[in-house]
Amino acid sequence: MNLPLSWLKDYMDIDVTPKEYSDAMTMSGSKVEGYESMGDSVQNVVTGKVLTCEDHPDSDHLHITTVDAGTGEVLQIVCGAPNCKAGIIVPVALVGAELPGGKIKKGKIRGVESSGMLCSHDELGITEDMLGYEPEYGILVLPEDTPIGKDIRDIFGMNETVVEFEITSNRPDCFSIIGLARETAATFGKKFTIPEVKFNENSENIADTISVEVLDKDKCKRYCARMVKNVKIAPSPSWMQQRLTACGVRPINNIVDITNYVLLEYGQPMHAFDLRDLEDNKIIVRRAKDGEVIKTLDEQDRKLTNNDLVIADGNRAVAIAGVMGGFNSEVKDDTTTVVFESATFDAASVRLTAQRVGLRTESSSRYEKGLDYNNTVPAVERACQLVEELGCGEVVGGMIDVMGNVKDMETLPFRPEKINAFLGTDIPTEDMVKIFNALEIAVDTDKMTVTPPSFRPDLEGEADIAEEVARFYGYDKIPTTLLSGEATCGMKNDRQKAQDAIGESLNAQGMYEIYTYTFVSPSIFDKLNIPADSDLRNVVKITNPLGEDTSVMRTTTIASMLEILARNYNYRNAAAKLYEIGKVFIPTGEELPNEPYKITMGMYGNKVDFYDIKGICESLFADLNVNKVKYEAVTDNPTFHPGRCAKITAGGKTLGIIGEIHPAVTRKFGIEMPVYIGELDFESVFLNINTNIKFTELPKFPAVTRDIAVLVDKTTPVADIEEIIVRASKNLESVKLFDVYEGDKIPEDKKSVAYNIVYRAADRSLTGEEVQKSFDKAVRSLEHQLGAQLR
């Protein structure tokens, strides 16, 4: 951001050298990249009138001129420019003048004495932007009414000193002269005043001519429009052109220059529409239609999508909101009525649109940082004031102001003691209040709160408020101190500790941890035999994937585990036992998906079967103190073998599933032997961890042991037998399965299941009658509920 120092005097009285100014502003947080005095390289060059122009006797292209440069004497100067002639007014470099190309000396050219030089715009370092037109080849011819003997730097505003700031993206207010002036006033303790904006309106009302409709109030926070009629397109006055040029903006014409001037002064982008080009006299702020094409001011066709916001009339788009106006509605030389647009658009929307269409303009670079919706009205009124000052039109009465979805700035606590503790200072509360007042931060000393102005979206917390105090109090005034305070130990939360415990348990059982990618190929669902209507196929799609194999986020970790097992199998590893604690991504319909963790275990090998993976889970649950775990047979999961799969539950929650992968699935992954996988939901496991562990003394009284063997149907789960024994028994200490037998002397449809049952009381020795009564009740319950036969 370039700041001409003379422009500051519109808002305050300041008299410092450029170096003093640059140093002070850098120390207060507005970093200065450098400064440049535009006319330093041009010295002792004045305006002069060519009185006579004659051909040089010894040259076919040189001229001998006499020039009046306001010095009191007529100068003889030899000139080689083809456009030199008597009567014109030109820049004259006097003897001793300094130019970008060197110093001018008195001498003779082809025997004729020459006291100076007539200059072209290039020799003076004057650009076409500074002139406002393309000069003819040769010396620079100035307007006929240019006074004689005037310093050329005054003519072109070259006495200006311009300071270049590096503005951080969180300070959109400082992308304006007013914003930098406010910072300057606070830095130097000056009174800051924005001149009052006044102008006259005619008796008409803009609402009688045009209408404005905002269809997307989330992307358009505010839209203001004013109209100017009887417009006279002409060059801007020199003072405006000089200021625009000093800021790096090329003057075009008075109307366009006014919008650019307001952009620089207020930091509010504006656009001027030719009313003739707005069909139906309508302005509609809407999303673009997919594939809609608009030709922008640079005469390039831009194809838009439904995510882009446009300004449209009754039929077509006439501007890309916040980026660039349309070629079909630009101000032309014969424009008579213009509509000024001053609006605030959503920062993210403008940035994404500008990036996608390949346009980054002065407007978009400001919008994408987040502009103040309260700045739209002052900016458009300033434009109307400039129209009146320049005499280039008549302001139509009234203004259209459509407010979108905006929210006020949040009030923050003001705790001077905390600010001082944070900064390591002892700044009085009164001094802090003065700093806040200079920055237009509202202070309520009764409630001890501060409310940032709407043009300071970067002030979000107490630390930001403390920073404002620090930078204007002076970083150099903050005393140097040694670090103090008590050291704090970082700690893991309960879920992180549980993950560590899971890893330790599985490592102890001979399993190796792996990490796999969370983005996978959509084809994994077919390889896992997952039905087409399964919720697992509802995935988060990656917008810019590296390829088809990494185009979606996984909803199951089984495929990732199978891929690693398949790799080990293909490397001829005879056996593998692996585990992973990783995330899956479940869409929620909101912007972000749920990201639950899954505990995945996988194994294969010649001596591995279903009971190995089940045993690992049982040991894991024992280590974690997860109680009352049940295993229920599952026959309808297409990924698993229908006869070797179980669902795991505890506390009314499903913990996961374990079993042998269906042979058809393993073959798709290139594995020709049984593979066993378990997938547990970490959160469900975590919620079932029993942390309420109580100390129990060693038993003082003896235990009584009974063995029981019963015949039951082959399909009867042993877990059902154990549950019946537990419910029917008193003073029961443990039930342990020690034998399952099928074969000789056992019916084909039956199996023999044997348990060791231990009874013990904590307060006495059990009698044989008590134990037998409990044992008999368990036997009767098994006979009644399962049809069991005691062997």
Side-chain angles (χ1 to χ4, degrees), residues 611 708-721 737 739-755 786-791:
Y611 294 103
I708 182 174
V710 293
L711 286 177
V712 295
D713 293 339
K714 277 187 177 182
T715 57
T716 302
V718 293
D720 292 351
I721 301 174
L737 175 71
D739 183 58
V740 177
Y741 175 71
E742 298 177 21
D744 189 31
K745 298 181 181 181
I746 300 294
E748 291 186 0
D749 60 342
K750 301 290 184 178
K751 62 182 176 182
S752 174
V753 184
Y755 287 93
L786 298 179
Q789 300 175 27
L790 186 64
R791 293 186 66 192

Side-chain angles (χ1 to χ4, degrees), residues 23 132 245 322 397 408 477 514 573 629 734 755 773:
D23 291 345
T245 301
D408 296 330
K477 296 179 183 178
I514 62 171
N573 289 330
V629 179
S734 66
Y755 287 93
K773 184 178 180 180

